[in-house]
Amino acid sequence: MSDLLKDIPMPAELRQMSRSEQKGVAKRVRQFLLETVSQTGGHLSSCLGAVELTVALHAVFNTPEDRLIWDVGHQAYPHKILTGRGPLFPRLRIKDGLSGFLKRDESPYDSFGAGHSSTSISAALGMAVAAKLGHKSREVVAIIGDGAMTAGLAYEALNNGGVLDANLLVILNDNEMSISPNVGAVSQYLTRILSGRLYNTVREGAGQALSFVPPLRELAKKAEEGVKGLVAPGTLFEEMGFHYFGPIDGHDLDTLIQTLENLKKIRGPRLLHVITKKGKGYGPAEQDPCGYHGVTPFNQTDGKMAKKSAGAASYTQVFGDWLCDKGAAEKQLVAITPAMREGSGLVRFAQLFPERYFDVGIAEQHAVTFAAGLACDGIHPVVAIYSTFLQRAYDQLLHDVAIQNLPVLFAIDRAGLVGADGATHQGAFDMAYARCIPNLVIMAPKDEQEMCDMLNTGFAYQGPALVRYPRGNGRGLALDKDLSRQIPIGRAEVLREGKELAILAFGTRAAAAMVAGTALDATVVNMRFVKPLDTELLTSLAQSHRAFLTVEEGSRMGGAGSAVAEFLLNEGVVRPLRLLGLPDTFIEQGDASQWLADLGLDAAGIEKSGGELLALLARSPSGA
């Protein structure tokens, strides 16, 4: 373990240090962050940019009694280091190790769990109101990035917070906007004045003194706004009821601490605009903050990441290539992403067809309804979205797309287990939450060739279609890129003919099912369609087989296996049936293959469950 840890204090000790000592702590936190994340991988550039801000917050506020609510968690590694979790960093983002996000059950300093963006202000507002109702004087601070401020949820919370007049401080950590030296100096000087007690006393007193002369009071308000507007883009926040301060340099610890101390003395809704630099203090990350947002282990000296062994293309890459090919052939195709251009494989499409590429920001609800509007007028949208993020647009999927039966194709990436990001990002629920919506066609390919065929099928379908595919590499197949290749909707594929037991596999678990099926001499079916099911094949299998085993990398409750059970029950078919899938719990971070083995979803686990069913049949030779 790094010697740096012994000189990184807990927050209570940090608050007793001199300013020069606190600056030394910030330096050590940044060094420790680089040392550990270069070995483990994880979120880096955002965390490097938030070091001084984190030190200042813990130096000023009485944490954990005062509440710090970090948005998402991409910027929260320094917070974890400062709150006693540094020794756990060698096990960052691995099974039974330290989460890469905030977790209330991991530390009392994690006031609110987060993995999805833009929740911090809403949660902080709830805590501020709770403090008021409980007659407690604690401070509540939400820290949110400029990217997360593109989501409507953040503005809903700001709108409500201004009306409630809650005692809440929102810190806008802006790592995109730069400040020139001269303007920065004036800006920070003005912010210190504007956050000081004297200025605010004068401002409040002037408002009261002039209240009996409406025109003069309005003039005073306009004058104040005019002065601040020269250097601060805070008019929007002021109109929503927040006192706006900033922008200030988020790497100047003296200014940060002085401003935060001043803001503690002011009541009501406040917003502090802080300018930071992603990757601060590490050259490669400063030059390429996007590339170092989420990193694999890398050489700290030159920043070079460990090269992945040459292998099969990822499902994401195959999707991106299909999209470019389809876009070249179909001029009405447009691609939509909620701020996941790189993650969803859209970089090349954006370069080739910029007029048909739409990154709507972290705004999943808008992305889906925007797609619906396009589809109404003859454009054919492809929404590239992670399974976990589609959850945020459920009503739009149902109300705006499905009810109107609009031709929108959803390319659902990261369906199934995602590994290191853990519970907040697992693609566990899409089959279960989408299956109950009328008009949807839901497809799960066994490999990358079938994914391309399903994308062609979904694009040709004159209604809403979902194609779900996992994170990670495909099987390395030589792809037939014929864009006319399609699969008859609702038609499954028998991969292997066997006896007694039928294994019904949904998605990429089909390969493991084939291994198990061969060992058990069972029939193996690649179901392909979660909705509609191949009911004709199921009926035939029920006549020739004595037991069923369904396999899916998704929630067992309400998922694809449940659809099979419902059909058999409705048809009066009584056969031994076992559903394999993700259990009724949230799956934490860890290697996906390890989790699949632990949950009985690898070949060995499927064979074990199949063997148990066959043993049951042996004890009951009459069968159904």
Side-chain angles (χ1 to χ4, degrees):
M1 183 55 59
S2 172
D3 291 338
L4 292 167
L5 274 182
K6 69 181 188 313
D7 293 319
I8 296 177
M10 291 290 286
E13 183 182 349
L14 176 71
R15 289 190 280 272
Q16 303 305 313
M17 287 181 162
S18 68
R19 191 65 50 80
S20 63
E21 290 173 322
Q22 290 167 342
K23 291 177 181 178
V25 169
K27 182 178 180 180
R28 288 188 288 276
V29 166
R30 182 171 276 110
Q31 290 174 329
F32 178 78
L33 183 64
L34 274 170
E35 282 187 12
T36 54
V37 177
S38 66
Q39 298 173 37
T40 64
H43 293 107
L44 182 65
S45 57
S46 295
C47 291
L48 290 171
V51 170
E52 286 79 13
L53 176 59
T54 306
V55 170
L57 286 166
H58 282 292
V60 171
F61 294 100
N62 183 33
T63 56
E65 176 59 26
D66 288 341
R67 308 294 197 233
L68 301 183
I69 299 91
W70 297 88
D71 208 88
V72 186
H74 291 159
Q75 56 188 331
Y77 290 5
H79 163 79
K80 289 186 177 237
I81 295 167
L82 278 169
T83 53
R85 285 169 278 179
L88 302 177
F89 263 69
R91 293 187 57 78
L92 178 67
R93 306 201 322 151
I94 64 175
K95 195 169 185 287
D96 301 321
L98 186 68
S99 172
F101 296 103
L102 287 308
K103 293 185 66 177
R104 281 167 52 84
D105 60 2
E106 187 177 277
S107 170
Y109 290 90
D110 290 359
S111 301
F112 193 75
H116 290 185
S117 82
S118 315
T119 62
S120 58
I121 305 176
S122 294
L125 179 59
M127 294 178 191
V129 171
K132 182 178 180 180
L133 293 174
H135 305 289
K136 296 180 178 179
S137 60
R138 71 167 63 103
E139 298 291 329
V140 181
V141 184
I143 306 99
I144 185 168
D146 56 303
M149 285 294 287
T150 63
L153 178 60
Y155 291 95
E156 292 172 22
L158 287 171
N159 183 55
N160 191 211
V163 171
L164 292 177
D165 197 34
N167 188 40
L168 167 67
L169 172 60
V170 175
I171 295 180
L172 172 56
N173 178 16
D174 184 348
N175 52 37
E176 290 295 327
M177 179 179 176
S178 61
I179 312 173
S180 63
N182 289 336
V183 174
V186 172
S187 173
Q188 291 177 43
Y189 172 72
L190 267 180
T191 297
R192 286 196 292 270
I193 294 175
L194 295 174
S195 65
R197 176 172 291 175
L198 175 61
Y199 170 79
N200 280 276
T201 300
V202 171
R203 178 172 69 175
E204 292 166 8
Q208 294 170 4
L210 297 174
S211 62
F212 65 94
V213 188
L216 289 180
R217 183 179 185 181
E218 186 64 22
L219 179 62
K221 183 172 183 288
K222 293 293 184 184
E224 178 195 18
E225 290 179 352
V227 172
K228 293 173 71 176
L230 290 173
V231 292
T235 304
L236 172 63
F237 303 114
E238 293 277 359
E239 291 297 328
M240 298 180 83
F242 277 72
H243 292 309
Y244 172 89
F245 304 95
I248 64 171
D249 183 351
H251 302 296
D252 184 336
L253 199 61
D254 292 319
T255 296
L256 279 169
I257 290 178
Q258 182 178 346
T259 303
L260 290 172
E261 289 284 8
N262 285 338
L263 290 174
K264 277 179 64 175
K265 302 167 187 174
I266 304 171
R267 302 289 90 185
R270 295 142 289 157
L271 186 141
L272 174 62
H273 188 173
V274 174
I275 305 299
T276 59
K277 185 177 182 63
K278 290 184 77 169
K280 177 70 174 179
Y282 184 57
E286 288 188 9
Q287 294 167 17
D288 184 12
C290 185
Y292 284 82
H293 170 74
V295 298
T296 56
F298 62 93
N299 185 314
Q300 190 180 338
T301 303
D302 59 16
K304 292 182 179 178
M305 297 185 206
K307 289 185 178 180
K308 297 180 181 179
S309 57
S314 69
Y315 280 90
T316 301
Q317 182 180 338
V318 172
F319 162 71
D321 290 343
W322 172 86
L323 189 68
C324 290
D325 293 343
K326 199 73 170 180
E330 300 283 351
K331 305 307 180 186
Q332 296 304 101
L333 182 152
V334 301
I336 301 169
T337 175
M340 295 302 296
R341 182 186 66 176
E342 288 79 12
S344 291
L346 299 180
V347 172
R348 190 160 70 91
F349 184 92
Q351 294 168 345
L352 291 175
F353 310 107
E355 73 286 355
R356 290 193 274 148
Y357 167 75
F358 300 94
D359 184 341
V360 301
I362 304 175
E364 294 86 356
Q365 292 174 303
H366 166 61
V368 174
T369 303
F370 175 55
L374 287 162
C376 284
D377 279 349
I379 302 299
H380 203 140
V382 178
V383 179
I385 189 167
Y386 289 10
S387 168
T388 186
F389 296 146
L390 185 57
Q391 293 165 188
R392 310 186 85 184
Y394 188 74
D395 182 60
Q396 287 68 34
L397 173 64
L398 190 158
H399 181 272
D400 300 333
V401 175
I403 286 180
Q404 302 184 90
N405 202 26
L406 294 170
V408 178
L409 175 58
F410 292 87
I412 304 179
D413 202 340
R414 270 63 166 184
L417 299 177
V418 299
D421 284 335
T424 58
H425 284 62
Q426 307 287 17
F429 307 108
D430 55 89
M431 287 187 285
Y433 69 63
R435 188 173 70 82
C436 59
I437 300 177
N439 291 335
L440 294 186
V441 169
I442 306 172
M443 295 172 268
K446 73 178 187 296
D447 55 41
E448 62 268 47
Q449 178 65 68
E450 196 164 75
M451 180 185 77
C452 292
D453 298 346
M454 287 179 175
L455 289 166
N456 290 327
T457 304
F459 191 83
Y461 179 63
Q462 293 305 300
L466 285 67
V467 179
R468 72 183 308 265
Y469 49 92
R471 181 178 188 173
N473 294 344
R475 295 171 55 194
L477 302 177
L479 297 178
D480 181 345
K481 296 190 175 184
D482 181 356
L483 295 175
S484 67
R485 286 177 56 116
Q486 295 183 30
I487 299 171
I489 290 178
R491 184 72 57 84
E493 174 190 28
V494 177
L495 299 176
R496 184 185 190 281
E497 295 277 5
K499 303 174 183 177
E500 293 196 311
L501 174 66
I503 302 176
L504 312 178
F506 293 85
T508 54
R509 289 294 86 212
M514 270 296 288
V515 175
T518 301
L520 297 168
D521 193 19
T523 292
V524 180
V525 179
N526 168 30
M527 290 299 291
R528 288 175 166 167
F529 290 85
V530 179
K531 185 178 182 178
L533 289 172
D534 189 339
T535 55
E536 182 179 337
L537 178 61
L538 288 176
T539 300
S540 174
L541 291 171
Q543 294 171 355
S544 57
H545 292 71
R546 298 174 61 198
F548 288 94
L549 177 65
T550 68
V551 186
E552 63 192 294
E553 196 173 328
S555 172
R556 191 168 59 226
M557 294 183 67
S562 291
V564 172
E566 291 164 10
F567 171 75
L568 295 176
L569 183 63
N570 287 337
E571 293 297 306
V573 175
V574 180
R575 297 282 188 279
L577 169 65
R578 180 172 294 186
L579 312 183
L580 295 184
L582 302 182
D584 183 25
T585 186
F586 291 107
I587 308 298
E588 298 296 346
Q589 74 274 2
D591 181 75
S593 61
Q594 182 181 356
W595 269 117
L596 289 170
D598 290 349
L599 296 170
L601 291 171
D602 63 350
I606 297 169
E607 182 181 344
K608 179 175 182 292
S609 292
E612 290 170 354
L613 278 172
L614 290 174
L616 176 64
L617 294 179
R619 293 194 296 271
S620 304
S622 60

